[in-house]
C-alpha cells in the first residue's frame, strides 16, 4: 500500500491504544467522542448527500451508505463486548466479517436514517453505561480470537472513539 492509499484508508491515522491505565479526564474525553458521534455522523451524511453517499471514499473502499451502516453494526458489537466483559471473566467475543456484513441486502435497501437513528439510541445507552463504570471495571478484559488479543475496556473505549472519527474521515473524503 503506498502512502496515498494509506491516507485514504486511514484518514486520521491508525489507532493508538493506551498501554497504561487512562486518567478519568482521558476517559471522559473519549466517552464524549462516542457521545458526539451520532450527531457528527448525521451532519456528515447530510453534507455528502444522496448521490455522494453511493460513491466509495477510495478505490476498492465502501461507499458512504456502507460506512454509515457499518458504524452502527460495529458499535452494536462494541456495546455487547463491553457488557460481556462486565458480566463474565475475560470472555471470548465473537468476531464478525465486516466486509460481508457491508454486502448484506439490508445495507443497500435501508435508508441511512435507520442506522443513524439506531446509532443515536445505542450511544445513549452505551454512554450511560460508560459513565457509570468504576476504575476497576475499566480494567476488565475480553479476548478477541480474530486478532488473538486480550483488550481492556479502556483500550476498547479508545479504539471505538477512534473508530467513529476514522469513519467520519471517510465521509469527509467524499466531500473532496
Amino acid at each position: 500500500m503506498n502512502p496515498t492509499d494509506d491516507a485514504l484508508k486511514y484518514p486520521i491515522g491508525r489507532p493508538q491504544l493506551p498501554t497504561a491505565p487512562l486518567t478519568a479526564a482521558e476517559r471522559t474525553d473519549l466517552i464524549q467522542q462516542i457521545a458526539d458521534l451520532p450527531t457528527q455522523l448525521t451532519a456528515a451524511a447530510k453534507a455528502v448527500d444522496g448521490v455522494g453517499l453511493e460513491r466509495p471514499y477510495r478505490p476498492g473502499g465502501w461507499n458512504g451508505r456502507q460506512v454509515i451502516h457499518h458504524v452502527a453494526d460495529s458499535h452494536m458489537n462494541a456495546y455487547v463486548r463491553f457488557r460481556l466483559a462486565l458480566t463474565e471473566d475475560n470472555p471470548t467475543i465473537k468476531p464478525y466479517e465486516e466486509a460481508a456484513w457491508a454486502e448484506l441486502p439490508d445495507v443497500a435497501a435501508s435508508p441511512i436514517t435507520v442506522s443513524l437513528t439506531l446509532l443515536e439510541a445505542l450511544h445513549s445507552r452505551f454512554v450511560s453505561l460508560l459513565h457509570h463504570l468504576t476504575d476497576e471495571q475499566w480494567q476488565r478484559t475480553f479476548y478477541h480470537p480474530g486478532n488473538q488479543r486480550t483488550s481492556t475496556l479502556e483500550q476498547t473505549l479508545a479504539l471505538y472513539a477512534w473508530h467513529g472519527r476514522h469513519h467520519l474521515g471517510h465521509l469527509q473524503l467524499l466531500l473532496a
Side-chain angles (χ1 to χ4, degrees):
M1 180 179 301
N2 70 47
T4 303
D5 292 340
D6 203 52
L8 293 175
K9 190 170 184 178
Y10 298 101
I12 65 164
R14 293 178 185 262
Q16 301 295 316
L17 300 182
T19 56
L22 299 173
T23 66
E26 289 169 325
R27 285 194 305 254
T28 298
D29 178 59
L30 294 170
I31 293 168
Q32 190 59 52
Q33 290 177 40
I34 289 176
D36 293 342
L37 181 63
T39 300
Q40 294 169 334
L41 201 60
T42 298
K46 285 180 183 175
V48 173
D49 207 14
V51 174
L53 289 171
E54 301 305 323
R55 290 192 323 262
Y57 63 88
R58 67 177 172 89
W62 290 333
N63 65 37
R65 169 188 297 281
Q66 289 171 307
V67 167
I68 291 166
H69 290 305
H70 161 73
V71 172
D73 291 341
S74 178
H75 288 219
M76 280 190 294
N77 276 282
Y79 179 64
V80 168
R81 290 169 182 177
F82 265 78
R83 294 178 71 79
L84 287 169
L86 289 166
T87 59
E88 300 176 21
D89 186 29
N90 194 40
T92 298
I93 57 98
K94 172 99 172 75
Y96 69 102
E97 296 295 329
E98 295 175 355
W101 282 37
E103 296 297 329
L104 289 172
D106 64 315
V107 171
S110 298
I112 61 166
T113 54
V114 172
S115 282
L116 292 170
T117 301
L118 173 62
L119 199 62
E120 185 176 329
L122 174 65
H123 277 221
S124 179
R125 285 276 307 271
F126 198 7
V127 168
S128 178
L129 175 67
L130 297 174
H131 276 304
H132 289 91
L133 298 185
T134 65
D135 288 342
E136 294 78 25
Q137 287 174 315
W138 281 111
Q139 300 313 311
R140 293 189 61 86
T141 61
F142 64 81
Y143 177 74
H144 191 303
N147 61 25
Q148 298 181 343
R149 177 183 162 101
T150 297
S151 299
T152 67
L153 292 185
E154 280 187 334
Q155 291 169 323
T156 306
L157 172 67
L159 178 64
Y160 281 92
W162 170 86
H163 186 259
R165 295 188 324 273
H166 167 70
H167 286 302
L168 279 170
H170 288 150
L171 292 179
Q172 291 162 347
L173 289 172
L174 291 172
L175 291 170

